[in-house]
């Protein structure tokens, strides 16, 4: 099943009942069935759905190889009606942008583009097919659209495929990123969503979420991946702000923090009865609208409280330390650390003898082994934020004894960090001073 929320209604299709169902969700805690349209001919095996304006665009693909693209008028949610159906242009998933619908058909290893400028007379504009080289559309399972490009999750080619759809009549292969297991984790790529310069791919066999940098569509590159704790990674269709929502086959709903694309991290998971949310999810505002593929269920879930990556009771949106590693998010971002990875607190990135957490606690720079530039590494420096010599009783620090002596006056005491300090000095015989070790930085 697929689900799409639009206005006060949520729409789902059922592959088993050959139907389109419409729910009034104006009160999310109490969804009500508005109407269900069953059509054994035009909605046979209905599995993909997109709502645009007053129309629902429904696609199917059957095991026998038949497929269709059906337009349903939903201007009156209480009385939906089939407008027309176009043969041999269906599939599993669909996305609509402007005057065109883009369809992925895994049975035919093909993508279709349908001109819907007149919804009553949809016209097949173009298509591209082929498993493996040169188009890599084996098991084309899902599709997303951004700008002049379509992005396809190709299940059996284990790839995210980029297509140029500038000319809908002649889509063409541009590039791909592929690979099973580390580092790309695209084994069984079945879901794709695009947000900004990134494509988010869910892979059912690798049980993973992979983030791909598509700022250059001709050369997509791996940004990061989360390859644990996502059972199935089916139905990825919602990336909202800093979070990706994945309904996983049999396991529940997973919420992934993608604020740092290089380090996606599991923010939370909602364990639910088997198959409750194993179809697709559409997140709007504080609610996730879930379709159950195997149980034929529709559920609305409040996800406003499920974005707490470090499980400290503070939502990520107001948590100064999302990963709970003792370092603030701002500090980690400033110095190129990962605010979603608690392990980096124990690293010593600059090799000065202090961990990143100790650098944060001390106030030193985790990318500079000698923050105060006194030639003493921070880890061995008694006063890593200050030069090695101070005039006692003042806030004046100096890089060496001669500098301090020249700026001091008679009866000053010069404190140095080390108990033993060697430096050649030029003295003024009329100035009496005291030198002492064990400088107290406070």
């Amino acid at each position: 099943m697929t689900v799409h929320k639009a206005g006060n209604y949520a729409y789902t299709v059922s592959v088993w009942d050959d139907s389109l169902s419409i729910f009034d969700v104006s009160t999310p805690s109490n969804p009500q069935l508005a109407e269900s349209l069953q059509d054994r001919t035009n909605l046979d095996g209905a599995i993909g759905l997109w709502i645009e304006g007053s129309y629902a665009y429904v696609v199917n693909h059957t095991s026998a190889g038949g497929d269709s693209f059906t337009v349903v008028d939903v201007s009156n949610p209480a009385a939906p009606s089939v407008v027309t159906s176009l043969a041999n242009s269906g599939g599993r998933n669909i996305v609509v942008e402007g005057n065109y619908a883009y369809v992925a058909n895994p049975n035919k290893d093909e993508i279709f583009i349908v001109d819907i400028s007149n919804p009553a007379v949809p016209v097949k504009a173009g298509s591209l097919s082929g498993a493996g080289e040169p188009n890599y559309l084996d098991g084309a399972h899902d599709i997303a659209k951004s700008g002049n490009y379509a992005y396809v999750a190709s299940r059996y080619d284990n790839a995210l495929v980029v297509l140029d759809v500038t000319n809908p009549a002649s889509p063409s292969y541009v590039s791909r990123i592929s690979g099973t297991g580390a580092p790309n984790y695209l084994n069984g790529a079945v879901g794709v969503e695009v947000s900004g310069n990134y494509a988010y791919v869910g892979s059912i066999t690798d049980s993973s979420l992979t983030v791909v940098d598509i700022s250059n569509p001709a050369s997509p590159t791996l940004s990061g991946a989360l390859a644990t704790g996502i059972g199935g990674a089916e139905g990825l269709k919602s990336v909202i702000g800093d979070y990706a929502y994945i309904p996983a086959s049999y396991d529940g709903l997973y919420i992934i923090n993608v604020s740092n694309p290089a380090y996606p991290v599991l923010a939370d998971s909602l364990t639910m009865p088997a198959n409750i949310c194993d179809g697709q999810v559409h997140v709007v505002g504080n609610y996730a609208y879930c379709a159950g593929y195997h149980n034929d269920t529709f559920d609305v879930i409040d996800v406003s409280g499920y974005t707490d990556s470090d499980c400290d009771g503070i939502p990520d949106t107001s948590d100064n330390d999302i990963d709970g590693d003792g370092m603030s998010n701002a500090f980690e971002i400033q110095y190129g650390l990962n605010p979603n990875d608690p392990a980096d607190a124990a690293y010593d990135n600059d090799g000065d003898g202090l961990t990143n957490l100790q650098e944060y606690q001390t106030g030193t720079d985790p990318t500079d082994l000698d923050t105060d530039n006194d030639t003493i590494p921070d880890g061995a420096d008694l006063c890593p934020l200050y030069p090695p010599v101070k005039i006692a009783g003042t806030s004046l620090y100096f890089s060496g004894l001669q500098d301090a002596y020249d700026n001091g006056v008679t009866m000053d005491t010069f404190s140095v960090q080390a108990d033993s300090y060697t430096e050649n000095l030029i003295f003024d015989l009329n100035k009496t001073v005291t030198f002492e070790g064990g400088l107290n930085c406070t």
Side-chain angles (χ1 to χ4, degrees), residues 327-401:
M327 300 182 293
S328 72
N329 303 329
F331 177 84
E332 296 202 57
I333 293 170
Q334 178 183 355
Y335 290 109
L337 305 178
N338 180 9
N340 297 313
D341 180 13
D344 61 8
Y347 302 158
D348 178 10
N349 290 12
D350 56 7
D352 62 1
L354 296 178
T355 65
N356 291 329
L357 177 58
Q358 290 171 323
E359 302 259 22
Y360 173 73
Q361 295 168 334
T362 304
T364 49
D365 184 341
T367 65
D368 186 346
L369 62 84
D370 181 15
T371 299
D372 59 6
N373 297 313
D374 63 358
T375 73
I376 304 173
D378 290 343
D381 198 334
L382 297 176
C383 299
L385 294 174
Y386 304 100
V389 182
K390 178 185 180 184
I391 299 179
T394 74
S395 60
L396 301 175
Y397 286 84
F398 300 92
S399 59
L401 287 176

Side-chain angles (χ1 to χ4, degrees), residues 50-411:
W50 191 275
I51 305 298
E52 194 74 18
S54 297
Y55 297 95
Y57 298 92
V58 182
V59 293
N60 74 344
H61 71 108
T62 66
S63 58
D67 56 82
S68 62
F69 178 97
T70 299
V71 183
V72 180
D73 185 338
V74 293
S75 55
N76 180 1
S81 60
V82 172
V83 176
T84 189
S85 188
L86 181 65
N88 299 316
S89 295
R92 185 180 179 94
N93 283 298
I94 176 175
V95 61
V96 172
E97 184 177 285
N99 289 326
Y100 294 93
Y102 303 82
V103 181
N105 188 319
N107 284 359
K108 293 183 175 180
D109 308 325
E110 188 168 16
I111 65 100
F112 300 102
I113 302 177
V114 180
D115 184 338
I116 54 170
S117 53
N118 181 355
V121 188
V123 177
K124 184 175 178 180
S127 65
L128 187 70
S129 64
E133 192 175 358
N135 294 328
Y136 300 97
L137 293 173
D138 193 0
H141 198 92
D142 197 9
I143 189 167
K145 170 72 165 49
S146 180
N148 292 326
Y149 299 92
Y151 299 84
V152 181
S154 188
R155 181 172 184 174
Y156 300 114
D157 273 323
N158 308 308
L160 171 69
V161 180
V162 184
L163 306 178
D164 186 337
V165 292
T166 306
N167 179 1
S170 183
S172 60
Y173 171 84
V174 175
S175 62
R176 81 187 192 284
I177 180 172
S178 62
T180 63
N184 293 337
Y185 295 103
L186 290 170
N187 193 358
V190 292
V192 59
E193 180 72 323
V194 172
S195 180
N197 287 327
Y198 296 94
Y200 301 83
V201 185
S203 297
I204 193 168
T205 307
D206 271 332
S207 296
S208 60
L209 171 70
T210 300
V211 185
V212 180
D213 186 334
I214 55 170
S215 54
N216 179 4
S219 182
T221 58
L222 175 69
S223 181
L226 177 63
T228 58
I230 308 175
E234 276 272 24
L236 171 63
K237 268 305 178 188
S238 285
V239 177
I240 310 297
D242 290 337
Y243 297 94
Y245 298 82
I246 300 178
S249 298
Y250 310 108
D251 286 351
L253 177 65
Y254 292 87
I255 304 173
I256 315 299
N257 187 318
V258 292
S259 57
N260 185 340
Y263 297 98
V265 63
L266 181 64
D268 217 323
S269 61
L270 283 69
T271 301
M272 293 174 284
N275 307 324
I276 288 296
C277 193
D278 67 341
Q280 198 177 82
V281 63
H282 189 194
V283 177
V284 180
N286 291 327
Y287 297 96
Y289 300 86
C290 278
Y293 179 79
H294 291 90
N295 275 359
D296 296 323
T297 55
F298 170 74
D299 290 271
V300 183
I301 302 168
D302 185 342
V303 295
S304 59
Y306 292 96
T307 52
D308 179 14
S309 301
D310 56 0
C311 302
D312 62 356
I314 304 173
D316 287 346
T317 52
S318 56
D319 194 343
N320 186 46
D321 181 14
I322 288 177
D323 57 9
D325 62 1
M327 300 182 293
S328 72
N329 303 329
F331 177 84
E332 296 202 57
I333 293 170
Q334 178 183 355
Y335 290 109
L337 305 178
N338 180 9
N340 297 313
D341 180 13
D344 61 8
Y347 302 158
D348 178 10
N349 290 12
D350 56 7
D352 62 1
L354 296 178
T355 65
N356 291 329
L357 177 58
Q358 290 171 323
E359 302 259 22
Y360 173 73
Q361 295 168 334
T362 304
T364 49
D365 184 341
T367 65
D368 186 346
L369 62 84
D370 181 15
T371 299
D372 59 6
N373 297 313
D374 63 358
T375 73
I376 304 173
D378 290 343
D381 198 334
L382 297 176
C383 299
L385 294 174
Y386 304 100
V389 182
K390 178 185 180 184
I391 299 179
T394 74
S395 60
L396 301 175
Y397 286 84
F398 300 92
S399 59
L401 287 176
Q402 186 69 63
D403 190 23
Y405 180 80
D406 291 343
N407 285 278
V409 297
T410 294
M411 303 306 294

